Amino acid sequence: MDVAALRQSWAQFCVAGPEAAKYFYATLFVIAPEARTMFPTNMQYQQDKLLSALGHIITHVDDERELTAFAQRLGADHRRFRGEDRQGRPVPLAEWHYIWVGQALLATLERFLGPRWTPALRAEWAAAYELVARLMLTGAAEAERTSPPYWEAEVQWVQRRRADVCVFTVRPNYLCDYLPGQSLPVQVPQLRMWRYLSPANAPRADGTIEFHVRAAGRFSTHLVRKLREGDQLLLGLPVGDALSSYDRSQLPLLLVAGGTGLAPLRAVAEAVQQGSGRATTLVVGGKTPDDLYDDQALRELAATPPAGSWRSGAGGGWLRYVPTVESGWQWQGEVGTAGQTAVRLGPWRDTDVLVCGSPEMTRETITALTVSGVPPERILVESYDQSLYPPLASAAAAAPRDFSWTGVR
Ligand code: HEM
């Protein structure tokens, strides 16, 4: 495979930006009108995801291990997207779906590369696409042996903690095996859109999962305003490998949360409580005390001794929970943003740090911590920007504009 030619043409193609993605989908829906209903009505976010995933594939096409892992994972995850047969019954993605997408891709490259699109380059692209499509189909077939295409999850209870924040629990029809700190694609069937939400609890024996959502767009506002006990949601394969590698060492842990970015960090704290009871500090920031919507659960967690304490002799006190607000009438606790308070509680030189919050909060916290002497490689963050396919998020973590934990739309 002529990787240099593929990369060079990809770079030239990228100059077209969103126009190319629009053309790709317009072509796909002309080739296969029946594919239109598989995609959301508003294609704005999907367009960015397709481009970034394709870019990743092309730049790794000579790295067999990386390409195989990425494409097989993407194929396994694509099992949650269903096509339809002639009678309108749902069918899993098959080879013919990939042929449509491949034809639309080649037509789009031809359109935007103009005279640079030679028969030799066409053959390179066709071969690279076929390789990826085969890997995706193999990944899907292999995943079929270990996990369902998606989980159907019934809403067990819903609590509105504030006008714009709800906490709810679901019970999936099969055990959904995720790691603390990971996220799951979630669909409200009547909205036909998938968004990523992070479990707020360590995996439980009964399989129930708690989610925290702040109303910020159509999807999250629907959950906050309309979700009821007994509603059905769909869950896809768990993703994310940054926050979930919290156990890469046994150094003390500092968890810094803003808004509903608390969810994955609470899951991590619960897992620590159930495991070694490693010394952990959890700083949760809000503008006012009203923003601390999960205060009671966190106080209870801090008062629970680690499960392993009978062995290690360590008692309570493994978790130091520090709520902090920027202003609050008669507030007795810490004052300042989560980042400022975390720095004040330092130094954190030999500590693993996990940060999760809005883009601004994440940026501010990382800057404050690194200026105070925390080595950047000790800080773990994850991006679930809706315009980015999450397994690509680690690469984007260096670009803080992509963080949008509190902005599930
Ligand atoms: C090389 C081939 C392909 C690549 C690189 C690719 C890439 C992607 C990516 C990265 C996403 C976003 C996933 C997420 O954020 O959770 C996505 C979503 C999706 N893909 Fe693909 N895909 C490919 C083939 C296909 C095919 C053959 C079909 C079926 C015709 C398909 C249908 C969909 C659908 C329906 C979505 C969800 C859209 C939404 O609800 O936002 N994809 N794809």
Side-chain angles (χ1 to χ4, degrees):
M1 213 170 279
D2 186 347
V3 181
L6 285 169
R7 283 200 185 126
Q8 191 191 16
S9 54
W10 175 254
Q12 291 160 344
F13 174 75
C14 280
V15 177
E19 280 313 303
K22 273 196 197 123
Y23 187 90
F24 167 82
Y25 278 104
T27 311
L28 175 64
F29 299 148
V30 168
I31 294 172
E34 56 270 59
R36 183 65 192 93
T37 53
M38 297 173 67
F39 290 88
T41 324
N42 180 348
M43 294 291 294
Q44 190 190 343
Y45 301 115
Q46 169 62 14
Q47 284 168 1
D48 293 346
K49 286 182 183 180
L50 172 104
L51 273 187
S52 48
L54 269 178
H56 183 82
I57 286 166
I58 299 309
T59 47
H60 288 89
V61 80
D62 53 347
D63 180 345
E64 198 188 324
R65 250 184 66 197
E66 168 65 28
L67 175 71
T68 305
F70 182 80
Q72 291 196 336
R73 174 75 182 62
L74 189 59
D77 191 30
H78 265 59
R79 290 178 305 144
R80 71 185 141 104
F81 309 131
R82 313 299 259 182
E84 277 182 6
D85 68 8
R86 293 230 159 79
Q87 283 74 43
R89 287 175 304 214
V91 289
L93 290 196
E95 208 171 305
W96 39 279
H97 292 106
Y98 283 88
I99 293 173
W100 297 341
V101 167
Q103 286 172 344
L105 173 68
L106 295 185
T108 310
L109 288 162
E110 180 175 5
R111 160 80 175 71
F112 287 91
L113 289 174
R116 288 165 296 197
W117 185 245
T118 60
L121 189 58
R122 187 186 192 285
E124 290 296 335
W125 271 95
Y129 177 79
E130 192 182 332
L131 173 65
V132 173
R134 295 244 159 268
L135 287 170
M136 285 178 72
L137 284 163
T138 316
E142 278 176 11
E144 210 55 31
R145 288 194 255 128
T146 51
S147 64
Y150 50 80
W151 287 261
E152 287 165 20
E154 184 178 312
V155 177
Q156 303 281 294
W157 57 260
V158 187
Q159 270 183 0
R160 264 100 204 157
R161 297 268 173 98
R162 274 178 12 174
D164 64 342
V165 174
C166 86
V167 169
F168 65 93
T169 297
V170 300
R171 185 193 295 275
N173 53 347
Y174 304 99
L175 196 69
C176 176
D177 213 3
Y178 65 91
L179 298 171
Q182 283 193 310
S183 276
L184 308 174
V186 177
Q187 191 192 59
V188 179
Q190 53 278 44
L191 294 188
R192 264 185 51 206
M193 50 167 87
W194 292 87
R195 293 289 179 268
Y196 287 87
L197 295 179
S198 194
N201 58 286
R204 294 172 182 156
D206 69 359
T208 56
I209 305 176
E210 180 178 314
F211 292 110
H212 299 176
V213 180
R214 186 175 70 83
R218 198 165 153 237
F219 177 86
S220 50
T221 303
H222 177 94
L223 291 179
V224 170
R225 297 221 182 119
K226 304 236 167 87
L227 198 68
R228 299 277 173 271
E229 280 170 24
D231 283 356
Q232 294 287 331
L233 301 177
L234 303 183
L235 312 177
L237 279 187
V239 291
D241 52 16
L243 300 180
S244 59
S245 53
Y246 68 93
D247 57 355
R248 63 184 176 172
S249 84
Q250 279 305 310
L251 289 173
L253 256 185
L254 168 66
L255 311 176
V256 190
T260 48
L262 167 66
L265 300 189
R266 203 191 89 183
V268 166
E270 279 193 19
V272 172
Q273 184 275 329
Q274 290 166 16
S276 61
R278 166 184 179 193
T280 302
T281 303
L282 170 61
V283 180
V284 181
K287 287 214 178 329
T288 66
D290 192 38
D291 289 332
L292 305 171
Y293 67 88
D294 207 33
D295 189 62
Q296 195 188 330
L298 296 173
R299 286 185 192 282
E300 282 166 18
L301 182 62
T304 312
S309 56
W310 61 272
R311 257 181 279 130
S312 65
W318 65 280
L319 176 64
R320 182 178 179 199
Y321 163 52
V322 186
T324 176
V325 299
E326 290 172 46
S327 64
W329 174 245
Q330 293 190 328
W331 171 254
Q332 304 285 316
E334 295 285 339
V335 176
T337 63
Q340 289 163 345
T341 298
V343 168
R344 228 180 9 253
L345 299 173
W348 301 108
R349 277 195 190 82
D350 291 316
T351 306
D352 278 328
V353 183
L354 274 59
V355 181
C356 202
S358 69
E360 303 71 39
M361 177 273 174
T362 309
R363 213 171 14 244
E364 191 221 81
T365 306
I366 293 173
T367 308
L369 287 168
T370 43
V371 167
S372 78
V374 178
E377 65 276 11
R378 295 245 69 93
I379 304 178
L380 298 172
V381 285
E382 197 128 38
S383 161
Y384 286 86
D385 187 292
Q386 56 186 318
S387 68
L388 207 65
Y389 179 51
L392 299 177
S394 322
R401 70 174 179 79
D402 287 325
F403 298 129
S404 70
W405 267 104
T406 50
V408 179
R409 288 167 203 284

